Amino acid sequence: MKLLDTLMQKPWQDSGYLPEAGTGRDAGSVGLWVGLAVITSLFVLFMLSAIMRSQSPDWQPLTEQPWQPLFDLTPLWINTLVLLCSSLVMQLACLQRREGGGMLAMAAALSLALVFLVGQWSVWQAFAERGFGLQSGPAAGFYFLLTGLHAVHLVAALLVVSFILPELWRDTGLARLRLLTRYWHYLFLLWCVLFALISRPPATYKLLAALCGIDTGG
């Protein structure tokens, strides 16, 4: 009888059928990972280009002399700390969202991200004041390219958040907030990699070029 009951069922008449709960979330997660892979590839290409270009005679170091803009890295360390705090507070917002809260933490995370961008802008201004403008040389040019591209991704994230902010506190908002938090952490880790590269002395660039198989001229 149980088999007969099963055969007599008409699932196509059930109006309450819903897709699996995790389908949408998984699709979003996959989309985010694909996007991060594309962004990572883009930055890797630019970083490799910088390493290759650093072996040219006209590559002027930015970290060796007091008059060079990256001799004192304190402003960039402060910016790094601010972005770290933004990432941690964003994680706190995600955790508090499960209990229905987190809006204050979210506002703090976004504010810290804006502070980071202001700090980056002040460093760019310091570059220009010392004569290291966008077109002053390949080293400064790559600095503006890498840090500017990172800032563009952060600004884009802030714009997206401004549009979807009300939705993050609806019933389906937690999954989106998790993806957003993951992206925030990614931007912080990406900045750490960029910071590690742009703050290195010429000897490190030469070593990286040799490891990449680039002819460093002995």
Side-chain angles (χ1 to χ4, degrees):
M1 292 297 293
K2 187 174 181 180
L3 175 61
L4 181 61
D5 291 341
T6 301
L7 294 175
M8 292 296 291
Q9 289 179 357
K10 300 177 180 178
W12 56 87
Q13 293 181 349
D14 294 339
S15 58
Y17 174 77
L18 292 174
E20 294 182 8
T23 303
R25 181 182 58 191
D26 292 341
S29 181
V30 171
L32 177 63
W33 283 117
V34 172
L36 296 185
V38 173
I39 296 172
T40 301
S41 301
L42 178 67
F43 274 94
V44 168
L45 288 175
F46 281 129
M47 287 189 289
L48 286 175
S49 299
I51 292 171
M52 293 177 61
R53 191 69 174 83
S54 67
Q55 302 310 302
S56 301
D58 60 345
W59 181 271
Q60 185 179 16
L62 305 174
T63 59
E64 298 302 288
Q65 301 296 331
W67 51 271
Q68 293 175 335
L70 294 183
F71 182 78
D72 181 10
L73 294 174
T74 302
L76 290 184
W77 278 116
I78 294 175
N79 291 347
T80 303
L81 180 61
V82 170
L83 193 58
L84 171 62
C85 291
S86 177
S87 183
L88 293 177
V89 176
M90 183 66 78
Q91 182 66 45
L92 178 63
C94 187
L95 294 175
Q96 292 181 342
R97 169 64 181 81
R98 298 173 183 174
E99 306 297 331
M103 293 192 70
L104 185 59
M106 168 68 80
L110 299 181
S111 299
L112 287 168
L114 288 174
V115 172
F116 171 80
L117 290 174
V118 172
Q120 293 291 77
W121 176 262
S122 66
V123 175
W124 294 333
Q125 291 292 101
F127 264 66
E129 291 172 358
R130 298 189 180 200
F132 289 84
L134 183 62
Q135 299 179 346
S136 61
F142 270 104
Y143 178 85
F144 280 100
L145 174 64
L146 293 172
T147 58
L149 199 57
H150 178 268
V152 166
H153 283 84
L154 185 55
V155 170
L158 289 171
L159 291 176
V160 171
V161 173
S162 66
F163 281 108
I164 68 172
L165 189 58
E167 299 180 11
L168 294 178
W169 266 262
R170 293 175 183 169
D171 294 339
T172 59
L174 182 56
R176 291 188 176 187
L177 185 55
R178 285 174 177 161
L179 297 178
L180 177 65
T181 304
R182 194 178 303 169
Y183 185 68
W184 229 253
H185 296 333
Y186 170 80
L187 287 180
F188 170 68
L189 294 176
L190 177 60
W191 166 248
C192 290
V193 174
L194 295 178
F195 186 22
L197 178 66
I198 60 181
S199 61
R200 293 299 91 194
T204 302
Y205 277 91
K206 187 173 184 179
L207 175 61
L208 291 174
L211 292 175
C212 294
I214 301 169
D215 183 12
T216 60

